[in-house]
Amino acid sequence: MGTFWRGILKGALGPRDNDSRFLLDVHSRDLPGETTMARYRDDDEVDLVIVGAGAGGSVLAQRLARHGWRVVIIEAGPFWHPDEDWVSDEAGSHPLYWTQKRIISGADPIELGKNNSGRGVGGSMVHYAGYTPRFHPSDLSTYTDDGVGADWPICYEDLRPHYEQVEAELPVAGQDWPWGYPHRYPFSPHPVSGAAEKLREGALRCGIEMRVGPVGIVNGTFGNRPHCIYRGYCLQGCKVNAKASPYVTHLPDALAHGVEVRANCMALRVEIRQDSGRARGVVYATESGGAHRLQRARYVAIAGYSVETPRLLLASVSRRFPSGLCNNVDQVGRYVMVQGATQTAGRWPFELRMYKAPPPEISSEQFYETDPARGFARGFSIQTVSPLPIGWAEHVLADGHWGWALREYMRDYNHWATIGVLNELLPHPDNRITLADETDPYGQPIARMDYTLGDNDRANMAYSTKVITDILHAADAQDVLTIQRFAHLIGGARMGSFPEHSVVDANQRAWAVPNLFIADGSVCPTQGSANPALTIMALASRLAQRMASGAAMDDDPGARTGRTRSRAGNRR
Amino acid sequence: MPDLTSADHLPKRRPGGAALHPSWLPRQRRGTTPQMIGRYPDFNVLDAVDTWDEATKKVVLARLEPPGPLRFFTSDEEPVLRALCDTVLAQDREPRVPVAEMVDGKLADGLLDGYQYADMPDDRDTWRLVLRGLDHTATLGYQTGFAGCAEAQREAIVSEFAQGRLVGGAWDELNVAHAWSVVIRMMLAAFYSHPWAWNEIGFGGPAYPRGFMRLGGPGADGPAVREPFEQPGATDEDPVQVVDAWER
Ligand SMILES: Cc1cc2nc3c(=O)[nH]c(=O)nc-3n(C[C@H](O)[C@H](O)[C@H](O)COP(=O)(O)OP(=O)(O)OC[C@H]3O[C@@H](n4cnc5c(N)ncnc54)[C@H](O)[C@@H]3O)c2cc1C
Ligand code: SF4
């Protein structure tokens, strides 16, 4: 549909082939279909078994179920009953996070836990903030264009229709988007809170353009999903069903089309036929110390998040794969990326009460691409955020305050507004997920993540911190507090054109196992400065389309290498 | 009382970065705050309990129950733990948020954050080592255990801890900077999850199913800023309520 009609019909269009919004119950937040969904026996060879009911896994399941595939999702965490399980409270939301132990190391260890991934049906998007920007076309060719990072084996045109479809499904609300590949959103922008308005004022004075959104939050009503009530607890799970997560956007439709989500089941290994080298299915346990079961399947897809996907591959040791599945060329777990996510807060004479409205409000991608004048490759985006009290305490602490000084800054909470950046940090082979010696209660080795920043990364972070601090000063902030942090893991099983340098091919199919796919953020070769969830969903949507048509199983070397369309397709 | 439209009460704006003594703060008139001080003397977040959903109510109100005995820490460790919590959160008198008990409960139930630095033991062991380390440093410097130190002495030790500079004894088994991050994050999360702390800072608290109509912003008295149940911050109009008996 042309841009003109998308503008005229804003807020009135729904996605095709996904009825999730109508299947939801107006009076209950439970996932409809939990009690009536299909059940498959372990020895019944289903068409596809997916590990992880998160952003990638849920979209893949929903799409293929629509094509008549019999799909089982193995999910480590629980089936949520949001009315009872989720609370409007920071500390009380601890059960949403993946809090099983992980070891962190390297020169710049990344703190995981609540800030990184979720555990349960719906995955991390249950408690993600809700920003849903697209990657830019330039993200897919950073090596060719800037001499850094890696080129993707696919081009922007491969993703674009899926971006549009997923944006209609979430649905995304925001102003017309001038950056990257310019586009419009299906829903109008949300009203802006007082705190974010103050920040926009400063940005404008610095000559920086900011736009409202893009957020996967209903503005208006959307089927049986109500309008956002601006309560500000998006990172604690939306009890309203206004914020998009697979729990409301894809799983209702998936369950209605024959998908079984097997919750509280931890996948322990992908079982490989030693004769043919094909995957037989996934071995899992229903409780720690419990018996191991094997769900048989024609195809296997892993979508367990950038830490757990490499961990599962590495733990799947067999005669054919003595150092972990797909790891005979030592690529699994490498090139794990995060984004720099420094936040800085400013103080004003009047009360702003930043706890109101969704934390994601307005953003800018003006600094996204390389500008040689800045002295480093690639760039960053700017987004407003708004920590609740515990998050604010961590912010104040990071600036070096505790005791009486901390209490003083905390009492001043209502006078502050916070702005953050997302820096594109470059992939590096030694930033890696490996297995630690320690095991978890299932007897599975736990993951270890090593992370060290490079010089380009540090230069990018320093420059962007100055830009957002300037914004605060331009808006006449009276005091400034800064926290350096990281967000958004991606990579660890990247896709590429050559088996020596990647784990999966252009169709996200493992080079080493013909019927194994990877369907989450682990496959991304670079991460740009955009939050990843929309791209993870769009990639899964594309993968599903290609699996359904058989194109993803194409053994033709050209098809596996990708980039069959002209490279020019990346640029407009 | 300082003028809140200026930022002169904020530590970074003051000589040496030192916090102003809290005696300038009004005494809480409604509800409870830690030490009965705060910037919103007429605000009690618990007045809105009837607008919270049942699940949230259960979780938040449980924090107001009288704290039980410690389950994770031993009676030897208890005084050091309490002294550390009091110093880090500047709680020098009742009413206190029971941070020690809240931390103890989390450790006893194994509710940890989900990551561990490679150069550190399990968080539970880190806590015990930190308490031993504090006693070690206090004994060397002041010939008494950490709990026996005067407030200024404890602050001096914690300040070194915060900068990762403590050595000797149990500290040599830890990366001290990482240990600081482990223990302080848990104390902060406990303190600022407590409704008394929300009263002190004027935080609106849980907001489901009610939500917010007024999204805050400049124009201090305009209806655009506050919900009817939210109270404006303290001004200097009511000096009678100021606690002047505050002697540290
Ligand atoms: C606090 C926070 C804020 C965020 N904000 C944003 C934002 O504003 N915008 C944005 O785009 N992104 C945001 N993100 C990131 C985004 O949520 C994730 O990138 C995205 O959800 C990852 O998708 P995924 O499919 O890779 O994994 P997930 O969605 O995490 O799904 C993985 C699932 O697999 C399950 N699993 C893992 N291992 C196993 C196993 N062995 N057996 C069975 N099941 C398993 C997990 O329990 C989980 O449910 C945020 C994340 C967090 C934590
Ligand atoms: S602010 Fe809106 S989207 Fe966020 S949790 Fe509340 S209702 Fe949901």
Side-chain angles (χ1 to χ4, degrees), chain A residues 47-211:
Chain A
D47 295 314
L48 174 66
V49 58
I50 300 174
V51 176
S58 303
V59 172
L60 184 67
Q62 185 268 340
R63 296 284 197 271
L64 287 172
R66 282 269 179 168
H67 285 280
W69 287 43
R70 297 157 72 241
V71 182
V72 173
I73 308 183
I74 308 276
E75 167 55 53
F79 241 111
W80 298 116
H81 302 116
D83 291 321
E84 298 90 46
D85 296 345
W86 298 354
V87 290
S88 210
D89 180 67
E90 265 184 299
S93 299
H94 196 262
L96 298 180
Y97 318 138
W98 188 288
T99 50
Q100 280 65 22
K101 191 191 281 186
R102 290 158 170 171
I103 304 290
I104 57 171
S105 190
D108 305 280
I110 306 298
E111 299 191 349
L112 300 171
K114 70 175 175 183
N115 184 45
N116 278 288
S117 67
R119 187 177 213 259
V121 179
S124 306
M125 282 178 77
V126 162
H127 77 285
Y128 86 142
Y131 270 118
T132 49
R134 298 183 185 181
F135 281 15
H136 287 197
S138 69
D139 286 326
L140 279 55
S141 53
T142 60
Y143 187 73
T144 306
D145 299 344
D146 302 297
V148 296
D151 290 350
W152 293 41
I154 61 174
C155 46
Y156 191 78
E157 275 307 305
D158 291 316
L159 278 179
R160 194 175 55 83
H162 299 281
Y163 273 140
E164 287 174 3
Q165 191 176 349
V166 176
E167 280 165 358
E169 290 172 307
L170 294 183
V172 181
Q175 280 182 291
D176 292 354
W177 211 246
W179 296 291
Y181 182 97
H183 55 277
R184 288 188 159 181
Y185 286 110
F187 274 69
S188 308
H190 284 272
V192 175
S193 70
E197 190 56 57
K198 200 72 214 155
L199 299 166
R200 178 159 65 180
E201 215 177 282
L204 282 177
R205 283 190 204 154
C206 294
I208 298 169
E209 184 179 3
M210 297 201 68
R211 297 260 165 138

Side-chain angles (χ1 to χ4, degrees), chain A residues 29 82-92 94 98-105 109-114 191-195 197-198 201 229-233 239-240 347-353 355-357 361 388-390 392-394 397 399 401-416 438 448 477-482, chain B residues 4-7 9-13 19-20 22 24-25 34-35 37-40 53 55-56 59-60 63 87-92 106 111-118 122 151 155 158-159 162 178 180-181 184-185 188-189 191-193 198 200-212 214-218 225-227 230-233 246 248:
Chain A
R29 252 50 62 184
D83 291 321
E84 298 90 46
D85 296 345
W86 298 354
V87 290
S88 210
D89 180 67
E90 265 184 299
H94 196 262
W98 188 288
T99 50
Q100 280 65 22
K101 191 191 281 186
R102 290 158 170 171
I103 304 290
I104 57 171
S105 190
I110 306 298
E111 299 191 349
L112 300 171
K114 70 175 175 183
V192 175
S193 70
E197 190 56 57
K198 200 72 214 155
E201 215 177 282
I229 61 171
Y230 302 114
R231 67 190 189 115
Y233 280 90
K239 288 192 79 143
V240 177
R347 201 267 179 192
W348 282 275
F350 32 80
E351 289 174 16
L352 293 163
R353 298 193 182 243
Y355 57 84
K356 298 175 177 195
E361 288 252 286
L388 293 175
I390 295 174
W392 178 237
E394 287 169 358
L397 169 72
D399 203 86
H401 310 280
W402 54 273
W404 295 102
L406 175 113
R407 289 276 296 279
E408 191 76 81
Y409 276 112
M410 292 302 297
R411 280 191 291 265
D412 215 45
Y413 176 57
N414 284 339
H415 287 258
W416 291 73
E438 206 175 328
R448 170 188 168 118
Q478 299 166 298
D479 194 0
V480 168
L481 293 176
T482 304
Chain B
L4 289 177
T5 59
S6 86
H9 60 296
L10 294 175
K12 276 170 85 172
R13 303 271 306 233
L20 201 60
W24 66 276
L25 290 163
Q35 299 129 292
I37 50 173
R39 288 261 296 275
Y40 300 83
D53 65 287
T56 303
V59 165
V60 174
R63 296 179 192 141
T87 308
V88 162
L89 286 156
Q91 292 201 97
D92 64 349
K106 273 198 142 190
L111 297 176
L112 309 179
D113 280 344
Y115 58 90
Q116 178 184 318
Y117 292 96
D122 187 273
E151 189 173 326
E155 284 177 357
V158 170
S159 166
H178 290 164
W180 168 250
S181 147
I184 193 168
R185 269 187 294 108
L188 291 183
F191 188 82
Y192 287 104
S193 70
W198 301 344
E200 181 191 9
I201 70 174
F203 171 58
Y208 175 81
R210 182 195 54 211
F212 293 118
R214 299 160 186 83
L215 300 185
V225 193
R226 277 189 305 272
E227 306 294 335
E230 290 171 327
Q231 298 294 323
W246 264 75
R248 278 230 225 161

Side-chain angles (χ1 to χ4, degrees), chain A residues 316-329:
Chain A
S316 299
V317 181
S318 64
R319 199 160 36 77
R320 266 179 183 262
F321 297 103
S323 52
L325 194 57
C326 307
N327 197 32
N328 289 359
V329 286

Side-chain angles (χ1 to χ4, degrees), chain A residues 17 32 111 151 162 183 189 210 221 238 247 255 261 356 389 456 463 484 489 496 520-521:
Chain A
D17 303 330
E111 299 191 349
D151 290 350
H162 299 281
H183 55 277
M210 297 201 68
T221 54
C238 181
Y247 209 80
L255 297 198
V261 176
K356 298 175 177 195
N456 195 77
Y463 184 96
Q484 190 194 309
L489 254 81
D520 62 5

